[in-house]
Amino acid sequence: MANIVAIGIQWGDEGKGKIVDLLAPEMDVVARFQGGPNAGHTLVIGGEKTVLHLVPSGILHEGVLCLIGNGTVVTPSTIAEEMDALLAAGVPVAERLRISDRCHLILPWHRALDAAREAARGKARIGTTGRGIGPAYEDKTARRGIRLIDLLADDLDARIGEQLDWTNFLLREYFHAPEVSRAEVDAELAIARERLLPLMADVSQLLHERHEAGAAMLFEGAQGVMLDVDFGTYPFVTSSNTVSGAALAGLGVGPAMIDEVLGICKAYTTRVGAGPFPTELYNADGMEDPAGRHLAEKGSEFGATTGRPRRTGWFDAVVVRHAVRVAGVTGLAVTKLDVLDGLPEVKLCVAYERDGERLTHIPADARALDACRPVYETLPGWSESTYGVTDPARLPANARALLARIEEVCGCPVRMLSTGPDRGHICRFPG
Ligand code: IMP
């Protein structure tokens, strides 16, 4: 059985949760390798809607070991809340979940710094999720972060005191923002001790043992390639690598352990937060295009973590081609095709134009990307419903033509097609 890395290849929110949910029953292990509670996936558990930010969505499946790898940053209270919701629905979460001893903790000062920095940026803000992701990764890279294993260290108290003094100095003197209290930090650490330490494990070791025993593994990415700290629209990105390569460093496995890279993308494009978006048609700040509004409304485009309305636009093949290259994507999973139903025509951005020059790749400078205008190919739409279609032969000819063109322009075969929100609303195209 193949080991698969499943990643988003646009600006996040591509529908990874559904694809992971669909593949999870075929897997023995599902592991998260980067990001933190900035991600969000809505599950219906026991009739109640629950948003999981950190616990892998494979948790609902018996016999699937769910792992949170060292490359992630975790908020102890968020994991505890998710565990409570799962326990209340009868999911034996403690049996199925393990958390890397090397995971870095997001503590209250990280959220305070995230908020203070965004406020100070004013109009130039990134539009972060406010979950403290950037400051936690900063501390990790600066070698002063607090990891799960550090809860057992003798010098923890002194390190917390030093970090808190330093952060409060910054908050008070530079940002003129409220300070963080030691009591708040201690409360978060107490939750970590009580709820996370019992689940602590050497995740790399577990993965290698399972691999040797022949397990099938799914490595679940968060956000998307265009939010990658190196290959995304820097600085309007998240603070981790989101490409498939991040699975290696974020879990402690080698490249030979990966057989396939599934790149998940919508049949159109969305983005939350600020930053360039060449095919943008519609946003909450007044950009109004009827097709963009159709995508926002029919696609229910609101962020699972923040509830913010998403910006919407046409499918950008330059973006997807870039992601296919930098992340070594071997197959596409195209989601939300049904949202395009009823549009008289559908556009595909195949290149950009800037200062009279045609570009077929993503420029490294976000300002240069902002100045790019999309070059579109226009394809006829379809009036038939594709909602819930599972047999590719039942797709309208124009929808099939769009998929064929996506494969051609992006240089990657479509392996899965999602036609609705339910797990069963899927067409599979085996290789
Ligand atoms: P941060 O990850 O909270 O620092 O936010 C940085 C940027 O990434 C912002 O534009 C966020 O909106 C975006 N972002 C972070 N996580 C997600 C996600 O799971 N889906 C979509 N966008 C995200």
Side-chain angles (χ1 to χ4, degrees):
M1 182 77 195
N3 293 339
I4 301 173
V5 182
I7 53 167
I9 56 173
Q10 292 161 322
W11 278 281
D13 308 316
E14 297 91 349
K16 292 179 289 293
K18 168 177 167 172
I19 301 294
V20 169
D21 217 30
L22 184 80
L23 293 173
E26 302 166 19
M27 299 288 157
D28 302 297
V29 177
V30 176
R32 274 279 307 266
F33 55 86
Q34 48 73 228
N38 44 352
H41 170 47
T42 309
L43 290 182
V44 180
I45 308 169
E48 296 260 329
K49 264 194 178 178
T50 304
V51 182
L52 293 183
H53 299 285
L54 280 161
V55 174
S57 36
I59 199 77
L60 299 188
H61 305 285
E62 201 184 335
V64 177
L65 176 65
C66 288
L67 301 173
I68 299 181
N70 58 279
T72 58
V73 285
V74 303
T75 308
S77 52
T78 304
I79 297 195
E81 279 162 28
E82 292 176 18
M83 286 175 69
D84 288 342
L86 289 161
L87 282 170
V91 180
V93 59
E95 280 171 29
R96 299 181 186 170
L97 179 68
R98 292 293 173 271
I99 306 170
S100 169
D101 42 12
R102 292 168 167 87
C103 269
H104 281 251
L105 303 183
I106 302 179
L107 293 170
W109 64 71
H110 295 124
R111 285 187 292 281
L113 278 173
D114 198 352
R117 288 222 174 90
E118 281 286 89
R121 283 187 192 110
K123 280 208 163 98
R125 70 187 183 281
I126 293 167
T128 72
T129 59
R131 302 295 162 109
I133 306 296
Y137 277 115
E138 273 175 53
D139 279 355
K140 171 178 177 171
T141 310
R143 298 161 296 186
R144 56 174 178 249
I146 310 286
R147 301 175 304 165
L148 189 53
I149 190 79
D150 296 336
L151 293 178
L152 304 176
D154 296 340
D155 62 349
L156 178 69
D157 211 48
R159 285 174 58 193
I160 296 282
E162 195 183 318
Q163 291 256 32
L164 196 56
D165 279 353
W166 182 78
T167 310
N168 278 336
F169 172 79
L170 263 183
L171 287 170
R172 187 179 61 240
E173 303 295 333
Y174 185 79
F175 290 111
H176 308 295
E179 294 183 33
V180 173
S181 72
R182 176 76 197 221
E184 252 180 287
V185 177
D186 285 344
E188 193 68 47
L189 292 173
I191 295 172
R193 270 193 203 93
E194 189 193 337
R195 308 295 298 277
L196 270 53
L197 277 184
L199 305 181
M200 184 170 79
D202 182 332
V203 161
S204 166
Q205 182 76 30
L206 281 179
L207 285 167
H208 281 264
E209 283 165 14
R210 295 289 171 124
H211 182 60
E212 275 178 17
M217 307 199 275
L218 179 64
F219 304 140
E220 175 187 357
Q223 292 85 50
V225 169
M226 294 309 285
L227 291 168
D228 182 282
V229 68
D230 286 292
F231 293 106
T233 47
Y234 192 90
F236 302 98
V237 292
T238 192
S239 296
S240 63
N241 282 115
T242 59
V243 291
S244 56
L248 308 180
L251 289 168
V253 301
M257 224 192 255
I258 292 173
D259 302 298
E260 286 173 28
V261 179
L262 190 61
I264 303 162
C265 55
K266 284 179 185 160
Y268 51 98
T269 313
T270 64
R271 172 162 206 175
V272 282
F277 179 177
T279 63
E280 182 168 23
L281 297 172
Y282 177 85
N283 60 43
D285 297 326
M287 193 185 235
E288 267 281 353
D289 171 280
R293 173 180 277 277
H294 170 108
L295 299 174
E297 286 175 358
K298 196 157 182 202
S300 304
E301 295 297 351
F302 295 92
T305 298
T306 58
R308 291 180 288 182
R310 297 179 183 139
R311 304 155 66 190
T312 62
W314 293 121
F315 186 91
D316 188 339
V318 186
V319 159
V320 171
R321 208 161 48 216
H322 167 80
V324 163
R325 173 165 52 83
V326 299
V329 174
T330 58
L332 299 175
V334 178
T335 62
K336 295 186 119 172
L337 178 81
D338 56 300
V339 173
L340 301 181
D341 294 353
L343 286 169
E345 56 184 31
V346 177
K347 291 187 183 179
L348 205 65
C349 168
V350 292
Y352 301 141
E353 200 183 87
R354 199 189 62 204
D355 301 331
E357 197 192 338
R358 192 180 163 102
L359 293 185
T360 51
H361 66 276
I362 303 281
D365 180 8
R367 276 162 305 193
L369 182 58
D370 217 21
C372 285
R373 296 288 152 255
V375 176
Y376 285 121
E377 272 182 22
T378 303
L379 283 78
W382 54 90
S383 53
E384 304 93 317
S385 168
T386 63
Y387 185 83
V389 167
T390 52
D391 176 3
R394 291 202 37 234
L395 291 171
N398 288 348
R400 284 204 302 268
L402 171 70
L403 293 174
R405 191 65 189 133
I406 287 177
E407 289 188 324
E408 216 164 53
V409 189
C410 300
C412 194
V414 174
R415 294 278 178 243
M416 288 179 149
L417 175 72
S418 169
T419 53
D422 289 356
R423 195 181 294 164
H425 296 160
I426 196 92
C427 296
R428 290 177 92 155
F429 307 85

